[in-house]
Amino acid sequence: MKKTIVLWAALTAVTLLMTGCTAQAPDPQPVADPIGAGPAPTTTAPAPDPAAARAAAYRKWGVPPLPAPPAPPAVKPVRRTPGGPVPVVSDIPVTEKVVFLTIDDGAEKDPEFVRMTAELGVPFTMFLTDSVISADYGYFDPLVAQGHGVANHTLTHPDLRTLSPDAQRREICGQQEKLAKRYGTAPRLFRPPYGNWNEATRAAAGACGIDALVLWRESMQIKDMQYQRGDRALRPGDIVLAHFRGPAELKGRSMTEMTANLLRKIQEQGFTVARLEDYV
């Protein structure tokens, strides 16, 4: 039996040698030469579509999309002449259907509002009062980074008409210094608290480096705007006032809800929002 097995194994070996059917290691895979070899091909993700992202943001916040604002004017329609009095404006002389959003004080510091403004990209100007923002200056940093304007609304929000010229100057110049130190640029625009001012206010603002006193034509409440004109309608160039307010002042509504209502009112009348600093 052993002889048979040995003989069979020998015959098998001879057959394999004759036919070339010997076991071989698999062929090695080619290795790219690292010297001079180009980078491995990569798949490039498509660039995000800003228009689609903006449309999605409007849907998220329940606001109909606003038209794109026109290009800023080559020459600002409101300018302070060198050495002249500070202009006082409630609206900007334009023909395009644009309005300008301004938000006062800074008391409410809702992080959802920061998210909303980043996603919608609607410009506005913040008229800030030190006594209500000093507990959290940092809240406004991302809003400044988004490009929204920083403007002066005094140190302590007094009725300036009740103060002496020197006291008015301290309120305005003092806030100029604080805002410049905290946010990097001295404001050019000033809003007197309650809209109350006199010629001493104007002179003090000019001495502090202000280029315009900014009042308003409409003010946003909770669900609707309060109009100064009897026709209760926006007009080209109107300045709209709102406030950093929360549920305590808005009867349980949030600042984002108030802002969404404001933008709906603007869109319903066929207007869009432009940046105030591009016009003043």
Side-chain angles (χ1 to χ4, degrees):
M1 182 65 175
K2 286 183 180 181
K3 288 182 180 181
T4 303
I5 294 173
V6 171
L7 179 60
W8 177 83
L11 290 173
T12 301
V14 171
T15 303
L16 289 172
L17 287 171
M18 292 176 64
T19 60
C21 296
T22 55
Q24 295 181 353
D27 292 336
Q29 296 299 314
V31 178
D33 183 357
I35 300 176
T42 57
T43 302
T44 303
D49 181 354
R54 187 60 48 83
Y58 274 102
R59 288 194 299 272
K60 170 184 173 180
W61 295 102
V63 178
L66 298 177
V75 177
K76 293 181 179 181
V78 176
R79 290 170 290 166
R80 182 187 179 190
T81 57
V86 175
V88 181
V89 296
S90 300
D91 47 56
I92 308 299
V94 297
T95 57
E96 299 96 340
K97 295 191 74 172
V98 298
V99 295
F100 304 93
L101 298 188
T102 61
I103 309 180
D104 278 13
D105 302 341
E108 178 67 15
K109 302 170 182 67
D110 183 354
E112 281 297 299
F113 178 71
V114 176
R115 227 176 328 270
M116 178 187 204
T117 57
E119 293 174 1
L120 294 181
V122 176
F124 58 89
T125 301
M126 302 176 283
F127 287 84
L128 301 177
T129 298
D130 190 68
S131 60
V132 296
I133 71 170
S134 57
D136 189 4
Y137 288 121
Y139 171 81
F140 302 93
D141 287 338
L143 296 174
V144 174
Q146 291 173 21
H148 304 295
V150 175
N152 188 326
H153 199 40
T154 71
L155 288 171
T156 64
H157 207 275
D159 181 347
L160 292 173
R161 294 181 304 182
T162 68
L163 302 183
S164 69
D166 285 344
Q168 292 198 46
R169 193 176 301 112
R170 286 193 295 272
E171 281 284 340
I172 300 170
C173 290
Q175 182 65 335
Q176 287 288 95
E177 294 169 5
K178 283 182 176 288
L179 293 174
K181 181 178 180 180
R182 186 60 183 79
Y183 300 112
T185 305
R188 296 176 42 254
L189 306 180
F190 169 70
R191 172 169 286 153
Y194 315 106
N196 293 341
W197 63 281
N198 55 25
E199 286 303 321
T201 311
R202 206 175 185 187
C208 297
I210 294 297
D211 289 335
L213 261 68
V214 180
L215 304 179
W216 61 90
R217 284 294 185 182
E218 292 83 25
S219 61
M220 185 62 194
Q221 305 305 306
I222 300 173
K223 296 182 180 180
D224 203 353
M225 283 190 281
Q226 192 174 73
Y227 298 84
Q228 292 182 357
R229 303 185 188 96
D231 59 3
R232 294 183 53 80
L234 294 171
R235 296 184 188 177
D238 278 0
I239 296 169
V240 181
L241 166 66
H243 290 83
F244 284 92
R245 288 177 175 165
E249 298 84 10
L250 300 176
K251 298 182 179 179
R253 301 295 183 103
S254 68
M255 188 168 177
T256 57
E257 289 177 289
M258 179 195 70
T259 303
N261 288 334
L262 170 58
L263 296 178
R264 289 188 198 103
K265 295 297 179 183
I266 292 170
Q267 192 273 347
E268 286 169 4
Q269 297 185 51
F271 283 77
T272 191
V273 179
R275 186 174 181 268
L276 180 61
E277 287 80 359
D278 290 337
Y279 291 75
V280 182

